[in-house]
């Protein structure tokens, strides 16, 4: 792709990364309580037994900061958005993946649609919409988190409705349905209602539901406390909750203990909570049948700081962390659905089977592979998840080292 060189735009994004995004954030009081109705465990059907994954949410264009050969500031457009990245991560590992979203008919939307097509993602649930594509300008400052300025007014990926969600689930069978937020938030009531309908219908059809709040702080107009209530309200429809430690800090404050938040989410309805911790790896919390309290397994990246690993398992410099969490999410879904012929944990997530020792051991292995995939992604520019063959080769290379 060509680079878009624009010094004034770079300065504008850095100076207005918070205020610009607020122009398009409309706070609406929560009305989800009237539409949320988690299917009781006694009424849920047996797990569907299929590996098909449905991913719902945004698809956008990230503009990543770069420099021209002359040293001038520039932006490189790259297809992205958390759900979009999860689609590709899970598909490259080998799952049948279906994308459910509104995608623009503009030039950016055409690029997004064709990109997913090249990755062999099923696009039959995609709605082509004559509205603009969401654009996200990324700003990086040494020692600070990545910041985003979103151009998202009246965008195509905000066009889902409850009726569209019901139609997407009708007559279809999925092993899991995943949704990530980001530029789309629960403050968009139409989208919140669409996601609630989608998750409720999925659970009634034997799928487990998976959710990543994927917080973009400047996008949350109503503040952390109000938004935390929305996230917790939605947990009643969630089987797998995945979050970063940074997102938990935003929602619950600095110093919040991960195990306490995980216990809270498990109490609200989740059956598995996974927290990613950047270079420290990830930890998964669940409730084993034998002790009735929260237990956990963890995985650390197979790396030596400050390096990561490449697809051969060799030490490599960190090129980019964009898409690492989404790569981990795709790896989790691949493993939990029994990808590659391994044991599925859908019975624990969709069927209420106990988290016994065998399930805990399988979960630990899934987490290890997901974290390794995220580490490989960090050796590449942008979100570029590895294939299952690359993850296996990297782990084999590490074992022989």
């Amino acid at each position: 792709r060509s680079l878009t060189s624009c010094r004034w735009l770079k300065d504008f994004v850095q100076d207005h990364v918070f205020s610009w995004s607020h122009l398009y954030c409309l706070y609406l009081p929560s009305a989800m309580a009237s539409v949320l109705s988690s299917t009781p465990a006694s009424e849920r059907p047996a797990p569907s037994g299929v590996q098909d994954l449905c991913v719902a949410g945004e698809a956008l264009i990230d503009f990543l900061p770069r420099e021209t050969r002359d040293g001038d500031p520039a932006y490189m457009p790259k297809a992205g958005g958390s759900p979009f990245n999860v689609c590709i991560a899970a598909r490259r590992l080998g799952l049948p993946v279906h994308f459910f979203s509104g995608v623009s008919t503009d030039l950016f939307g055409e690029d997004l649609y064709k990109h997913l097509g090249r990755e062999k993602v099923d696009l039959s649930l995609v709605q082509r919409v004559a509205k603009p594509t969401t654009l996200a300008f990324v700003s990086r400052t040494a020692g600070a988190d990545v910041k985003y300025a979103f151009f998202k007014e009246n965008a195509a990926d905000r066009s889902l409705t409850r009726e569209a969600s019901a139609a997407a689930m009708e007559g279809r069978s999925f092993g899991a349905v995943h949704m990530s937020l980001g530029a789309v938030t629960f403050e968009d009531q139409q989208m919140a209602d669409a996601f609630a309908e989608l998750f409720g219908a999925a659970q009634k059809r034997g799928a487990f539901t998976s959710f990543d709040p994927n917080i973009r702080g400047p996008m949350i107009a109503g503040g952390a406390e109000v938004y935390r209530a929305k996230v917790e309200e939605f947990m009643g429809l969630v089987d797998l909750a995945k979050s970063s430690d940074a997102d938990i800090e935003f929602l619950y404050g600095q110093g919040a203990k991960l195990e306490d938040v995980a216990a809270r989410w498990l109490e609200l309805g989740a059956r598995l909570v996974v927290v990613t911790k950047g270079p420290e790896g990830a930890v998964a919390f669940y409730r084993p049948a034998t002790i009735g309290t929260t237990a956990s397994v963890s995985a650390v990246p197979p790396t030596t700081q400050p390096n990561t690993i490449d697809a051969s398992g060799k030490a490599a410099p960190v090129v980019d962390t964009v898409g690492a969490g989404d790569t981990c999410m795709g790896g989790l879904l691949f493993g939990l659905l029994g990808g590659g012929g391994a044991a599925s944990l859908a019975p624990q997530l969709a069927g209420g089977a106990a988290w016994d020792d065998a399930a805990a051991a399988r979960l630990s292995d899934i987490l290890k592979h997901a974290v390794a995939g995220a580490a490989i992604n960090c050796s590449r520019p942008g979100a570029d998840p590895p294939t299952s063959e690359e993850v296996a080769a990297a782990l084999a290379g590490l074992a022989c080292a």
Side-chain angles (χ1 to χ4, degrees), residues 74-142:
Y75 282 94
M76 180 179 73
K78 190 170 181 63
S82 179
F84 182 94
N85 294 336
V86 171
C87 268
I88 293 173
R91 184 68 195 99
R92 287 185 181 178
L93 291 173
L95 286 182
V97 179
H98 308 250
F99 190 43
F100 176 48
S101 181
V103 174
S104 176
T105 54
D106 66 15
L107 74 163
F108 294 120
E110 283 296 308
D111 188 38
L112 292 166
Y113 191 83
K114 290 177 180 178
H115 190 134
L116 289 174
R118 289 192 297 271
E119 295 285 347
K120 301 189 185 321
V121 173
D122 187 294
L123 301 174
S124 60
L125 297 179
V126 170
Q127 303 175 6
R128 302 306 303 274
V129 184
K131 294 182 177 182
T133 298
T134 297
L135 307 180
F137 284 82
V138 180
S139 174
R140 292 194 181 97
T141 304

Side-chain angles (χ1 to χ4, degrees), residues 187-201:
E187 290 180 327
D188 185 327
Q189 196 59 51
Q190 175 181 307
M191 294 295 288
D193 290 346
F195 293 143
E197 176 67 31
L198 183 73
F199 272 34

Side-chain angles (χ1 to χ4, degrees), residues 13-383:
V13 170
Q14 290 179 335
D15 293 342
H16 297 78
V17 68
F18 293 104
S19 59
W20 184 268
S21 63
H22 283 164
L23 290 177
Y24 298 129
C25 283
L26 175 64
Y27 171 66
L28 294 172
S30 174
M32 283 201 292
S34 62
V35 299
L36 292 184
S37 56
S38 180
T39 305
S42 60
E43 298 179 13
R44 290 183 67 167
S48 65
V50 302
Q51 291 187 337
D52 290 64
L53 169 67
C54 176
V55 178
E58 66 199 38
L60 52 80
I61 300 293
D62 284 319
F63 284 82
L64 306 177
R66 295 290 188 268
E67 286 187 355
T68 66
R69 292 180 179 177
D70 297 328
D72 292 327
Y75 282 94
M76 180 179 73
K78 190 170 181 63
S82 179
F84 182 94
N85 294 336
V86 171
C87 268
I88 293 173
R91 184 68 195 99
R92 287 185 181 178
L93 291 173
L95 286 182
V97 179
H98 308 250
F99 190 43
F100 176 48
S101 181
V103 174
S104 176
T105 54
D106 66 15
L107 74 163
F108 294 120
E110 283 296 308
D111 188 38
L112 292 166
Y113 191 83
K114 290 177 180 178
H115 190 134
L116 289 174
R118 289 192 297 271
E119 295 285 347
K120 301 189 185 321
V121 173
D122 187 294
L123 301 174
S124 60
L125 297 179
V126 170
Q127 303 175 6
R128 302 306 303 274
V129 184
K131 294 182 177 182
T133 298
T134 297
L135 307 180
F137 284 82
V138 180
S139 174
R140 292 194 181 97
T141 304
D145 289 337
V146 172
K147 297 178 180 179
Y148 295 84
F150 290 100
F151 294 72
K152 66 185 190 71
E153 184 181 30
N154 196 36
D157 52 10
R158 283 152 184 75
S159 60
L160 297 183
T161 63
R162 293 182 64 184
E163 293 75 16
S165 293
M169 291 293 103
E170 187 65 33
R172 293 182 174 87
S173 181
F174 297 107
V177 173
H178 171 77
M179 182 270 289
S180 300
L181 295 173
V184 173
T185 76
F186 280 147
E187 290 180 327
D188 185 327
Q189 196 59 51
Q190 175 181 307
M191 294 295 288
D193 290 346
F195 293 143
E197 176 67 31
L198 183 73
F199 272 34
Q203 289 185 337
K204 293 175 182 177
R205 289 167 173 78
F208 71 80
T209 55
S210 169
F211 167 58
D212 181 356
N214 194 38
I215 302 293
R216 299 289 179 256
M219 305 300 297
I220 311 301
E225 184 176 355
V226 173
Y227 201 72
R228 179 173 69 246
K230 293 177 181 291
V231 170
E232 290 192 347
E233 190 172 35
F234 194 75
M235 265 323 145
L237 290 172
V238 174
D239 297 314
L240 163 62
K242 177 265 179 189
S243 177
S244 69
D245 53 359
D247 289 353
I248 286 177
E249 181 176 315
F250 174 87
L251 291 170
Y252 292 90
Q254 190 172 9
K257 294 182 179 180
L258 300 184
E259 58 269 27
D260 291 344
V261 174
R264 170 71 174 163
W265 288 1
L266 291 169
E267 182 67 29
L268 290 170
R271 299 180 178 185
L272 177 65
V273 176
V274 177
V275 181
T276 56
K277 303 188 293 180
E280 297 179 19
V283 56
F285 299 91
Y286 61 97
R287 286 187 170 170
T290 53
I291 60 176
T293 57
T294 303
S296 66
V297 297
S298 60
V300 296
T303 60
T304 302
Q305 297 297 320
N307 289 326
T308 186
I309 57 168
D310 61 19
S312 68
K314 296 179 180 178
V318 174
V319 174
D320 207 334
T321 59
V322 172
D326 301 327
T327 298
C328 184
M329 185 75 250
L332 288 171
L333 291 165
F334 174 76
L336 292 168
L337 284 168
S344 168
L345 292 183
Q348 282 71 24
L349 293 168
W355 288 98
D356 56 17
D357 291 344
R362 174 67 184 131
L363 177 60
S364 180
D365 189 59
I366 291 169
L367 199 62
K368 180 182 77 171
H369 281 74
V371 167
I376 295 170
N377 179 84
C378 291
S379 71
R380 303 164 168 174

